């Protein structure tokens, strides 16, 4: 059977290693997973109750139009219902946007050292990707993106803050960027997966900006800040004409019934997110203090994770941490040889991660940079 080269050369996305698998392979009782930027608080009790209450309905197909979820998202985000689209996670929305707006001869414009799924989905759709390096501070190089762009690039993906580096574009920077592209035939996809964790005062709110920029598409997800990673619910904000393209090509029941019910319950409990943000910001401060004590360079983060340079082979550090029951994310697939990403957990988890890291840094040799 003939399979195209693009598909055969595609490296599938490698998610964070599951806890159960690590327990099994290393014969460990206690495993701490700080590898996938999951919510440190788990999920709101309201979501759990809503899911329990819904159990007798799951033999029915979900509402393909997600009517009730749409109403509740509209209230929560302050956006009219026709400018909202839903996905089976925001990763599905990324894939649908590429399929909906790019021909195989066209390209997307992305950054190296950034979220991997943009590239993976484009390749899966036989769409090319131009990759721009991050700045020396590991920020998205928006000026270089402006330089490199031409009309063959139909979509520009801009994760803000960037995953895995945690760096962000300020309001001023983003507005300059959006103004530059405002009249051009390109969609700017602003991926705000960590929105509710951000604490910087000059961080822009893409959902508010969207009404001023018709070619701006904003993605949010309930996976990180609302803790619904296992249920898969992503939200998109864009002009109705753009939403309608995605509506045409999505599968009819892309958002399952549990995800719809959970989303409604999550949007009704904003206090949960406020608490998660507060604990996350304490966890980040703890990591910054401890990494400084260990002499490890890190980059200030606006997400629920921190990016640091171990100055050792990151796969080796990762393996040694696994033996000690701590799962972090090694970043070679993102092009970083010595850096890792550590999600913020509860204090017990954070302490376990730092304790293991301190041991591991002692036994792994430094590599020349
Ligand atoms: C986690 C993440 C996503 C994907 O989120 P899902 O909604 O779980 O698919 C998208 N973009 C970025 C930058 C992320 O870090």
């Amino acid at each position: 059977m003939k399979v195209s080269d693009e598909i055969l050369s595609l490296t599938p996305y490698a998610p964070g290693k599951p806890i159960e698998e690590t327990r099994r392979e290393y014969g460990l009782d206690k495993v701490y997973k700080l590898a996938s930027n999951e919510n440190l608080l788990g999920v709101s009790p309201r979501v759990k109750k809503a899911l329990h209450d819904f159990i007798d309905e799951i033999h029915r197909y979900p509402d393909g139009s997600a009517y009730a979820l749409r109403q509740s998202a509209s209230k929560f985000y302050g956006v009219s219902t026709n400018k909202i689209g839903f996905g089976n996670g925001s990763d599905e929305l990324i894939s649908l946007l590429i399929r909906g707006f790019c021909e195989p001869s066209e390209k997307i414009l992305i950054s190296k050292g950034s979220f991997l799924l943009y590239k993976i989905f484009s390749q899966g759709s036989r769409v090319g990707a131009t990759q721009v390096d991050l700045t020396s501070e590991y920020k998205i190089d928006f000026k270089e993106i402006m330089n490199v762009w031409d009309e063959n690039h139909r979509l520009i993906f801009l994760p803000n803050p960037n995953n895995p580096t945690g760096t962000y574009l300020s309001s001023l920077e983003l507005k300059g960027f959006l103004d530059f592209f405002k009249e051009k035939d390109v969609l700017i996809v602003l991926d705000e997966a960590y929105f509710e964790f951000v604490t910087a005062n000059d961080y822009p709110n893409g959902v508010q900006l969207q009404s001023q920029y018709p070619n701006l598409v904003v993605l949010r997800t309930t996976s990180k800040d609302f803790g619904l990673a296992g249920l898969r619910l992503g939200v998109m904000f864009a002009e109705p004409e753009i939403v309608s393209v995605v509506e045409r090509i999505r599968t009819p029941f892309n958002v399952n019934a549990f995800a719809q019910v959970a989303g409604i319950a999550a949007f009704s409990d904003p206090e949960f997110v406020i608490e998660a943000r507060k604990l996350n910001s304490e966890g980040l401060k703890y990591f910054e203090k401890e990494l400084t004590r260990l002499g490890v360079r890190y980059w200030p983060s606006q997400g629920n994770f921190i990016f640091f340079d171990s100055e050792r082979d990151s796969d080796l550090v990762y393996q040694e941490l696994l033996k000690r029951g701590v799962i972090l994310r090694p970043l070679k697939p993102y092009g970083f040889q010595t850096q890792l990403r550590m999600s913020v957990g509860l204090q017990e988890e954070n302490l376990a991660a730092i304790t293991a890291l301190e041991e591991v840094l002692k036994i792994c040799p430094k590599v020349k940079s």
Side-chain angles (χ1 to χ4, degrees), residues 71-369:
Q71 297 298 325
S72 111
S74 170
K75 276 208 199 80
F76 182 80
Y77 292 105
V79 175
S80 61
T81 51
N82 62 349
K83 294 182 85 175
I84 298 177
F86 298 109
N88 183 33
S90 56
D91 58 6
E92 187 195 26
L93 291 167
I94 294 166
S95 166
L96 291 170
L97 285 164
I98 294 172
R99 277 168 47 204
F101 291 96
C102 289
E103 301 296 325
S105 59
E106 296 173 330
K107 287 182 160 186
I108 64 167
L109 187 46
I110 55 178
S111 299
K112 270 187 211 154
S114 181
F115 194 50
L116 292 178
L117 285 177
Y118 310 134
K119 172 81 171 38
I120 292 174
F121 287 140
S122 67
Q123 206 173 330
S125 300
R126 282 84 151 170
V127 164
T130 301
Q131 289 179 285
V132 171
D133 283 327
L134 298 179
T135 68
S136 56
E137 298 160 327
Y138 294 135
K139 263 177 73 161
I140 299 278
D141 196 343
F142 63 97
K143 290 184 187 146
E144 187 57 16
I145 293 178
M146 284 151 59
N147 281 335
V148 165
W149 180 81
D150 65 26
E151 268 156 19
N152 198 37
H153 293 96
R154 304 307 313 278
L155 295 170
I156 301 174
F157 284 93
L158 216 57
N160 200 35
N162 184 38
N163 173 14
T165 62
T167 54
Y168 73 105
L169 298 186
S170 70
S171 273
L172 208 64
E173 291 169 331
L174 180 68
K175 280 187 198 152
F177 183 87
L178 295 175
D179 285 334
F180 177 85
F181 284 108
K182 195 168 180 180
E183 306 295 328
K184 301 193 165 67
D185 188 16
V186 60
L187 286 185
I188 311 295
V189 184
L190 184 65
D191 184 348
E192 297 184 330
Y194 300 92
F195 183 83
E196 302 286 350
F197 287 118
V198 172
T199 54
N201 292 326
D202 59 348
Y203 174 80
N205 180 334
V207 173
Q208 280 171 14
L209 286 172
Q210 198 286 322
S211 53
Q212 298 160 48
Y213 298 95
N215 62 346
L216 176 60
V217 178
V218 181
L219 299 180
R220 298 274 180 91
T221 174
T222 59
S223 295
K224 316 281 168 49
D225 26 27
F226 292 96
L228 302 188
L231 286 172
R232 320 300 304 128
L233 176 60
V235 192
M236 170 180 112
F237 304 91
E239 290 305 302
E241 304 78 64
I242 294 170
V243 172
S244 80
V245 170
V246 167
E247 287 292 308
R248 259 170 242 196
I249 58 174
R250 70 174 173 88
T251 57
F253 307 108
N254 64 333
V255 179
N256 73 74
F258 263 165
Q260 295 190 28
V261 164
I264 293 167
F267 295 146
S268 80
D269 188 6
E271 289 78 22
F272 172 81
V273 174
I274 294 170
E275 180 66 11
R277 183 193 306 139
K278 183 172 146 269
L279 290 177
N280 182 65
S281 138
E282 288 167 11
L284 278 176
K285 285 201 191 94
Y286 170 77
F287 279 160
E288 292 180 357
K289 182 177 77 123
E290 290 298 301
L291 291 171
T292 303
R293 177 178 68 80
L294 299 179
V296 172
R297 178 152 188 222
Y298 65 86
W299 281 259
S301 172
Q302 293 300 321
N304 61 345
F305 56 86
I306 195 160
F307 173 82
F308 65 91
D309 188 354
S310 71
E311 298 178 73
R312 279 97 177 147
D313 181 304
S314 58
D315 285 341
L316 185 63
V317 171
Y318 168 72
Q319 292 297 339
E320 287 298 328
L321 286 168
L322 281 182
K323 291 185 197 163
R324 291 161 177 79
V326 171
I327 317 173
L328 300 193
R329 187 65 79 94
L331 299 175
K332 283 191 191 175
Y334 297 75
F336 299 107
Q337 301 307 307
T338 57
Q339 287 90 340
L340 292 96
R341 191 190 71 193
M342 177 160 62
S343 307
V344 179
L346 295 173
Q347 191 45 33
E348 181 197 347
E349 302 170 284
N350 299 342
L351 176 68
I354 291 292
T355 307
L357 184 65
E358 183 164 12
E359 275 178 43
V360 167
L361 292 177
K362 283 186 190 133
I363 61 166
C364 297
K366 278 197 185 184
V367 296
K368 282 199 215 96
S369 53

